[in-house]
Amino acid sequence: MSISILAIESSCDDTSAAICVDGKILSNCLANQTVHEKYGGVVPELASRAHMQNIVPVVDAAFKKANCDLSNIDAIAFTQAPGLIGSLLVGAQFAKSLALALDKPLIAVHHMQAHVLANLIPEKKPAFPFLCLTVSGGHTQIVLCQSPTQLKVIGQTIDDAAGEAFDKTAKLLGLPYPGGPLIDKYAATGNPDRFKFPEPQIPGLNFSFSGLKTSILYFLKNAGASNVYKEEFLANEALQKKFVSKNLEDICASVQNRIVSILLNKLKKAAKETGITDICLAGGVSANSGLRKAFTELGTKMNWQTYIPAFEYCTDNAAMIAITGYYKLLEKDFADLSISPSARAEWS
Ligand code: KG4
Ligand code: ZN
């Protein structure tokens, strides 16, 4: 007998629904929210309202694309944590109502576990145990995966996430939100070795990106003359703007190069310490072309088997919630209808 799952993701500003049958994704539909662009970041109240508008059409689209309907569904999975609480509430309430109305089991999914398990969507899957570098707008983690449901965070950021480092750099450069994909775009034609930014010296497998952000801030305020604060270096605003517009591609390429090297140096260390050679990428930042290329090249050099989810499964999506829901269902790990979403949820 086959198992069909409807999955809902609404943790931030994307509303997504997916249908999965026996671990195979039949549809993964998504509605983006453009309303935040003019504010330079996600506005939680507006995100919740947009989820309310989008959720029914997105679920309908997922059923249509998968060529099935509510009567085919065996369980409903949803993102329970972490995320914006108002956004999570919309998806959670929708999923709970459906589970109650259809009398079907409910599966609560942790968003970060789902990013990792996006690597189990394709036919070619990593072998257990594997390592996953999960890089998103809110998290940067190295995860050791013993099985789909036994995951342990062995390294993480002590301040900003890698996605934040991209987005905050973009903001300093005057680029619109979310700036990560734009840095990627401009970096493609820039010189990654032109400007040098510092690599933080953080012990163990943890990351830090706040020092890099400060160094970029002063580098731009000094119009490239230095990346430390000194009153006498500070350029006037016109000079700062001119410097950015003349050197945008090289700045983007150099910043991206440093973020990628911070990430991959720690991943290399984790692989060495654990002896694991099946290594995955996950999360929105794994859509970055510089990271994908450097990760694949490093894998070849180190003799790793490397895995990167398809582009649509890197950024927030319900397919990853569906695949995680599938593995939880196999273990009969169901949630009670009294469950509430949580903005923060410590995990493993
Ligand atoms: O996983 P995700 O979609 O949402 C969270 O769970 O946070 O990640 C979003 C993050 C944002 O910071 C966005 O700028 C970044 O992923 N991102 C990228 C690229 N595409 C998305 N960063 C760099 N290069 C990209 N191509
Ligand atoms: Zn995410």
Side-chain angles (χ1 to χ4, degrees), residues 282-322:
V285 180
S286 57
N288 181 268
S289 49
L291 177 60
R292 293 169 90 93
K293 183 166 176 279
F295 171 70
T296 308
E297 285 170 1
L298 180 65
T300 307
K301 193 173 137 204
M302 304 300 291
N303 234 348
W304 296 343
Q305 288 73 54
T306 53
Y307 306 83
I308 312 178
F311 192 81
E312 67 172 312
Y313 304 139
C314 285
T315 48
D316 289 348
N317 67 87
M320 68 184 193
I321 306 301

Side-chain angles (χ1 to χ4, degrees), residues 4-25:
S4 302
I5 296 174
L6 164 68
I8 311 283
E9 152 65 29
S10 69
S11 63
C12 190
D13 60 336
D14 293 320
T15 321
S16 183
I19 308 288
C20 143
V21 176
D22 293 339
K24 287 200 173 46
I25 301 300

Side-chain angles (χ1 to χ4, degrees), residues 105-153:
L106 181 69
I107 305 167
V109 172
H110 194 288
H111 184 84
M112 298 313 293
Q113 179 183 4
H115 269 305
V116 175
L117 298 197
N119 282 287
L120 300 184
I121 293 175
E123 288 276 305
K124 186 180 164 247
K125 301 183 201 317
F128 292 101
F130 66 80
L131 289 179
C132 183
L133 172 67
T134 315
V135 272
S136 73
H139 294 79
T140 300
Q141 300 178 329
I142 299 177
V143 183
L144 170 58
C145 308
Q146 301 282 4
S147 78
T149 52
Q150 283 177 290
L151 296 90
K152 187 173 168 46
V153 178

